[in-house]
Amino acid sequence: MSTIVVLNSEYASLYFHTETKIVHHKLYSLLDSAHLREVLNEGTKLLGKYGAVKWLSDNRDIEAHSPEDTEWINTHWLPAAIDAGWKFWALVVPDDVAARMNMVEFVESFYAMGVRVMVFVEVEDAMRWLEKQDR
């Protein structure tokens, strides 16, 4: 599978898998608001540029998002990502219970906006599920 590395830092990595048209991010423990927004905005650009509809979020290494980031994600980023064509989300959840609880909010709000969501504990399972999803 051919993969474009879009971002790679101590905060996050962002990839685009060209054959499956999957946007894929991995967030790291040093993540801050500015880098979170950069990753999500760049991923949204990939959706539009390549006509992609699938996103894999590897959030295993992060803690809960701040209330400000949660609000930004729900009010600014989510509508933009949906407008860019986003339809399927595979979420790999963190071990941290508080972070998992924070992810529940996103699962519910994204689903309510029409994004089909599945939650995983392993990246490989998430990728397999996304690869099976059709437009």
Side-chain angles (χ1 to χ4, degrees), residues 37 65-79 102 105-106:
R37 292 175 188 207
H65 294 303
S66 70
E68 295 80 17
D69 286 340
T70 298
E71 180 181 346
W72 178 84
I73 288 168
N74 284 320
T75 61
H76 292 86
W77 176 74
L78 177 60
N102 181 242
E105 291 179 55
F106 295 118

Side-chain angles (χ1 to χ4, degrees), residues 36-55:
L36 172 66
R37 292 175 188 207
E38 177 185 27
V39 168
L40 295 180
N41 286 331
E42 289 300 315
T44 301
K45 290 177 189 174
L46 293 169
L47 292 172
K49 179 178 181 178
Y50 293 103
V53 297
K54 304 172 186 180
W55 195 306

